[in-house]
């Protein structure tokens, strides 16, 4: 039976996601570099995880029983930083130091410097392996925390992903839920043309995962899939989230060029006005 969010929860999630998206645009503009497209496409997934699901406490970021999150597509650090700031791990003013010298908010997340970051990532293909280790440790230590990971669809072209894909079902890591941000584009263009990882759901099923396909911008669908994953025993779950690269900014949506391009200050003003006009 599906579990739905209340109207009040949906309104709150939409408000948080709008704030996160706005801060992604601001920080990448200020840095004059970064990865806005894949950050915006993942914003709704992180919003649901951090504000409707995960057991985390900004006042105790190293709690041994906290849920863990691994951003395997580490170049999408702006969405993680903006979410952590929204949650209270960081002052929002610090977001504007993205990629600056001496800032702890570099182009890829650093677990030793930033509260709330559970794994340093950026070299694509490695995050799921780290998440596997966290999930296995939880099993061995008899802890009830859950581990979440987010991979890019272009990242699935990395061989290490598929080693990790074998590992998790072999060790029956049912405390692991991963997402693929399936927006269809990577820095060089459509994933189907660069090095096609398609079909994505069928591949994960063949490796022994429970697979759920959803609209990655539908809060109820994301939440429902996460709840369903918690009821699956003896196998991990992969949620294939169909998303739109650059979601929320029309000029960015479904345009590969915005994978790693910063807006100008004039574009930033326009984009922020568009985001502010979005329905909560």
């Amino acid at each position: 039976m599906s579990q739905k969010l209340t109207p009040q929860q949906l309104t709150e999630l939409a408000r948080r996601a709008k704030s996160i998206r706005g801060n992604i645009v601001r920080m990448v503009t200020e840095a004059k570099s970064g990865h806005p497209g894949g950050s915006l496409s993942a914003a709704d997934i992180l919003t649901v995880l951090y504000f409707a699901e995960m057991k985390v406490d900004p006042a105790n970021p190293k709690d041994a029983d906290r849920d863990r999150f691994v951003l395997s597509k580490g170049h999408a650090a702006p969405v993680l930083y903006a979410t952590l700031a929204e949650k209270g791990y960081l002052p929002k003013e610090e977001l504007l130091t993205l990629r600056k010298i001496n800032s702890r908010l570099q182009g890829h997340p650093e677990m030793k410097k930033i509260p709330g970051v559970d794994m340093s990532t950026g070299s694509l293909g490695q995050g799921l392996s780290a998440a596997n280790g966290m999930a296995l440790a939880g099993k061995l230590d008899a802890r009830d925390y859950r581990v979440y990971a987010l991979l890019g669809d272009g990242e699935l072209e990395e061989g290490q992903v598929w080693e990790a894909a074998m590992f998790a079902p072999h060790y029956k890591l049912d405390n692991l839920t991963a997402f693929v941000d399936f927006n269809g584009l990577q820095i060089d263009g459509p994933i189907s043309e660069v090095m096609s990882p398609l079909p994505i759901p069928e591949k994960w099923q063949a490796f022994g995962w429970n697979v759920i396909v959803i609209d990655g911008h539908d809060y109820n669908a994301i939440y429902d899939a996460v709840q369903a994953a918690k009821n699956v025993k003896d196998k991990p779950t992969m949620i294939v989230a169909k998303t739109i690269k650059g979601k929320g900014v029309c000029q960015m949506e479904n345009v590969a060029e915005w994978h790693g391009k910063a807006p100008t200050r004039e574009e930033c003003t326009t984009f922020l006005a568009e985001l502010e006009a979005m329905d909560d």
Side-chain angles (χ1 to χ4, degrees):
M1 180 178 177
S2 63
Q3 301 183 49
K4 300 300 181 184
L5 297 158
T6 67
Q8 292 79 11
Q9 286 175 307
L10 289 169
T11 298
E12 175 66 6
L13 290 173
R15 183 181 73 83
R16 297 287 189 178
K18 178 189 288 188
S19 176
I20 289 166
R21 284 192 164 92
N23 281 323
I24 290 168
V25 172
R26 288 185 186 93
M27 60 201 297
V28 174
T29 300
E30 182 66 25
K32 299 181 180 178
S33 66
H35 296 82
S39 294
L40 292 167
S41 65
D44 297 313
I45 295 170
L46 269 72
T47 298
V48 172
L49 287 177
Y50 278 88
F51 293 96
E53 180 55 34
M54 289 173 61
K55 296 183 298 181
V56 293
D57 180 3
N60 188 12
K62 294 297 185 183
D63 181 3
D65 292 316
R66 73 189 184 282
D67 289 339
R68 275 76 166 162
F69 176 77
V70 177
L71 181 68
S72 191
K73 46 178 273 179
H75 57 276
V79 70
L80 179 57
Y81 298 158
T83 303
L84 291 176
E86 191 72 25
K87 189 70 176 176
Y89 286 91
L90 308 167
K92 289 186 179 180
E93 296 77 17
E94 187 176 354
L95 295 176
L96 297 182
T97 70
L98 175 71
R99 291 176 169 242
K100 305 288 187 183
I101 293 175
N102 297 323
S103 171
R104 56 182 176 170
L105 305 184
Q106 289 303 311
H108 297 86
E110 166 60 81
M111 64 187 293
K112 293 183 178 180
K113 296 181 179 179
I114 309 170
V117 173
D118 292 311
M119 188 64 202
S120 301
T121 55
S123 184
L124 290 175
Q126 297 181 359
L128 185 58
S129 296
N132 281 345
M134 295 174 190
L136 181 58
K139 292 281 189 181
L140 295 174
D141 293 341
R143 295 189 180 275
D144 65 357
Y145 65 75
R146 296 192 63 80
V147 181
Y148 297 91
L150 176 65
L151 293 82
D153 50 3
E155 184 181 7
L156 302 185
E157 297 160 16
E158 297 281 355
Q160 185 173 334
V161 169
W162 301 104
E163 295 179 48
M166 287 187 285
F167 183 100
H170 179 81
Y171 287 100
K172 301 181 179 180
L173 301 182
D174 52 16
N175 57 344
L176 171 65
T177 299
F179 289 81
V180 171
D181 182 6
F182 186 14
N183 59 48
L185 295 172
Q186 58 191 103
I187 193 167
D188 291 324
I191 60 169
S192 59
E193 296 177 9
V194 178
M195 180 61 71
S196 178
L198 306 177
I200 293 173
E202 290 83 351
K203 281 188 169 68
W204 290 94
Q205 287 171 341
F207 275 77
W209 290 60
N210 174 53
V211 177
I212 304 171
V213 180
I214 63 166
D215 176 348
H217 301 302
D218 182 326
Y219 302 131
N220 269 321
I222 298 166
Y223 183 76
D224 189 25
V226 169
Q227 304 314 307
K230 290 157 69 174
N231 293 322
V232 173
K233 301 303 179 186
D234 296 331
K235 62 169 61 177
T237 292
M238 175 58 73
I239 300 173
V240 179
K242 296 181 178 179
T243 61
I244 297 171
K245 194 144 192 150
K247 174 67 174 178
V249 178
C250 289
Q251 188 174 324
M252 289 191 189
E253 289 186 356
N254 291 317
V255 179
E257 182 182 3
W258 286 103
H259 176 93
K261 173 184 173 183
T264 64
R265 293 199 180 278
E266 292 75 18
E267 287 172 328
C268 178
T269 299
T270 300
F271 297 165
L272 291 176
E274 181 182 350
L275 287 168
E276 187 56 36
M278 288 177 65
D279 292 333
D280 286 335

